[in-house]
Amino acid sequence: MKFSEQLWFPGGVLLLCAAGVQLSVPALSAAEPFLTGFALLALAAGAVLGGMYNRSRPVASLAVIGAAAWLLPALYTADGAPHWQPQTLALLLPLNLIVFALLPDRGLFARTSLLAATPLAVQAVVLLVLPRGANPWMEGQLAYAPMPSGWFQWSWVGEPALVAFGAAAILLAGIFLWRRRPTDRGLFWLLVAAFAGVHGLHDPRLAMLYFGSGALIVSVSLVEHAHAMAYVDALTGLASRRALDEFLPQLHGRFALAMVDVDHFKRFNDAYGHAAGDQVLRKVAGQLETVGGGGRVFRYGGEEFSVVFAGRSRKDALPHLEALRARIEATGFSLRGSLRPTQKPAERRALPRAGRHVHLTVSIGVAELSEKLASPRLVIEAADKALYRAKQSGRNRVQAA
């Protein structure tokens, strides 16, 4: 999936659907009897999935959005007064999401997760127990508005909370761009949904629609997380061997399959350490994703990769594979970090330092579906044998079955 699609789907699409319901009066009226149940069901589904996969960050985020959906409508008044309770809750909402995004997700019952649950409970109790007029100083701070008043007349939320929402949006977007995890993207779109829900409090239907949509986004992100664990290789980000095993039987008609192996990888791994070996595999995976001809790349295992050309013959795939092989040979890779051998080498040699270029090559074997190779298993075996011949012939070459 392209990055632009990763960013917008599914969270952005779900929120656009919610906005469509809001803008359509008949749709909003028809959905009204089900909105509370929808929100509760989305929250429950997310909590169950978070418990199944032992993810503390999504569960804590659901707790925050659930508390906001429950407390804000009760605390909000439409008279425009800066009552400290709804203003404080609006401020705490993005701040809590920032904290959850920065804390490591070590599971539901880890010490950090349990410690993070205590402030949430304290916040809820304070907002409910203290009377509305109990803290005039707090009201004054939350009503602080150094910017021109005309900028924010559209919002009942004070400037401190609006600034917190803006800072949280930048931070959460940056975290997703850095880690590219479904749950991080879900947290960003949850913040957007919460912002819309906070500004829909004048109509309880809108608040429940957007808070429920935010909970649904988190639940979907947990499903994506589970899918990634099963079908995406954690080291390289490529589709895994399980994905390959399920993809090949779905191909109807001819296809070509190439097996790609990093030359002398074990020797490199033994000499310079597993951290350097992992860097090499990630770099090779990045190059493989640039293969032409519509090739789809999979991590097969170890230093082996597979490239599938659906609807193409072996002859069609060969030029693209040869171009890929030449590009990897010519490019080389810059190693990062402190690299030390896992064991003392038998003879003294210069070790690659961080930032130094290392030249690598790959060997490739390719086969295609045919009357003789009439199943995916036979095609893989033939491509693997061709790969072995490429290595026996001197490596750094493409060999057809």
Side-chain angles (χ1 to χ4, degrees):
M1 185 181 292
K2 295 179 180 179
F3 172 69
S4 58
E5 295 172 348
Q6 290 179 358
L7 181 63
W8 284 97
F9 185 83
V13 174
L14 290 173
L15 279 186
L16 284 176
C17 292
V21 172
Q22 174 187 353
L23 295 174
S24 172
V25 175
L28 186 60
S29 299
E32 183 175 1
F34 309 102
L35 289 175
T36 300
F38 159 67
L40 290 174
L41 185 61
L43 286 166
V48 170
L49 290 169
M52 288 174 58
Y53 302 120
N54 196 28
R55 297 289 89 189
S56 62
R57 186 181 294 118
V59 171
S61 303
L62 287 168
V64 168
I65 202 74
W70 173 44
L71 291 172
L72 265 174
L75 299 174
Y76 170 78
T77 58
D79 57 8
H83 298 302
W84 77 273
Q85 290 166 309
Q87 292 286 355
T88 300
L89 185 51
L91 174 64
L92 289 173
L93 209 164
L95 293 181
N96 280 317
L97 293 181
I98 289 175
V99 171
F100 298 147
L102 295 177
L103 283 176
D105 194 334
R106 304 192 187 281
L108 283 172
F109 301 105
R111 181 178 300 178
T112 54
S113 303
L114 297 176
L115 289 175
T118 303
L120 288 179
V122 172
Q123 292 170 26
V125 170
V126 169
L127 287 169
L128 285 172
V129 171
L130 290 182
R132 175 159 294 179
N135 203 329
W137 179 86
M138 179 68 77
E139 286 193 2
Q141 299 305 309
L142 293 169
Y144 179 66
M147 301 181 189
S149 59
W151 289 7
F152 302 110
Q153 287 182 347
W154 52 271
S155 175
W156 66 268
V157 179
E159 287 184 21
L162 292 175
V163 170
F165 269 106
I170 294 172
L171 178 64
L172 295 179
I175 289 175
F176 169 67
L177 292 173
W178 174 38
R179 296 193 294 214
R180 303 288 180 91
R181 296 175 182 170
T183 50
D184 292 324
R185 179 183 54 211
L187 206 60
F188 170 78
W189 286 111
L190 171 64
L191 177 77
V192 179
F195 186 79
V198 163
H199 287 87
L201 289 176
H202 61 281
D203 187 339
R205 299 176 301 175
L206 298 182
M208 204 57 65
L209 171 65
Y210 283 109
F211 286 135
S213 297
L216 179 60
I217 288 169
V218 174
S219 300
V220 172
S221 75
L222 284 165
V223 175
E224 291 183 280
H225 169 75
H227 181 273
M229 288 194 300
Y231 294 100
V232 178
D233 176 61
L235 176 64
T236 63
L238 297 176
S240 65
R241 182 170 177 175
R242 175 181 291 184
L244 174 67
D245 292 340
E246 294 189 9
F247 176 67
L248 290 178
Q250 300 173 17
L251 296 178
H252 302 289
R254 66 176 172 178
F255 67 86
L257 181 143
M259 297 296 291
V260 182
D261 186 273
V262 182
D263 293 331
H264 301 297
F265 179 76
K266 187 177 186 304
R267 184 189 305 173
F268 182 91
N269 213 31
D270 291 342
Y272 306 128
H274 294 289
D278 289 347
Q279 288 184 39
V280 166
L281 291 176
R282 284 192 290 265
K283 295 288 188 179
V284 170
Q287 287 286 350
L288 288 173
E289 287 188 298
T290 67
V291 66
R296 182 170 175 178
V297 186
F298 301 82
R299 171 90 182 275
Y300 194 75
E303 67 272 26
E304 277 194 308
F305 301 86
S306 299
V307 185
V308 179
F309 298 87
R312 292 183 180 270
S313 67
R314 179 185 59 186
K315 184 178 179 181
D316 296 331
L318 281 172
H320 302 289
L321 294 171
E322 178 58 34
L324 174 68
R325 181 209 60 76
R327 187 161 57 249
I328 292 175
E329 179 187 18
T331 302
F333 304 102
S334 294
L335 296 174
R336 295 178 289 108
S338 177
L339 304 175
R340 297 181 179 272
T342 55
Q343 55 188 353
K344 187 176 180 180
E347 57 184 40
R348 298 187 62 176
R349 71 181 85 179
L351 300 182
R353 298 178 180 178
R356 181 174 175 179
H357 243 46
V358 176
H359 292 280
L360 297 169
T361 60
V362 295
S363 299
I364 303 174
V366 59
E368 66 177 314
L369 189 71
S370 62
E371 292 184 3
K372 184 179 179 181
L373 306 174
S375 69
R377 180 182 62 83
L378 293 175
V379 175
I380 292 175
E381 290 177 357
D384 210 38
K385 291 177 181 177
L387 170 63
Y388 179 77
R389 292 198 300 273
K391 286 187 168 293
Q392 291 295 103
S393 301
R395 294 182 170 83
N396 190 26
R397 63 192 63 214
V398 181
Q399 179 70 50

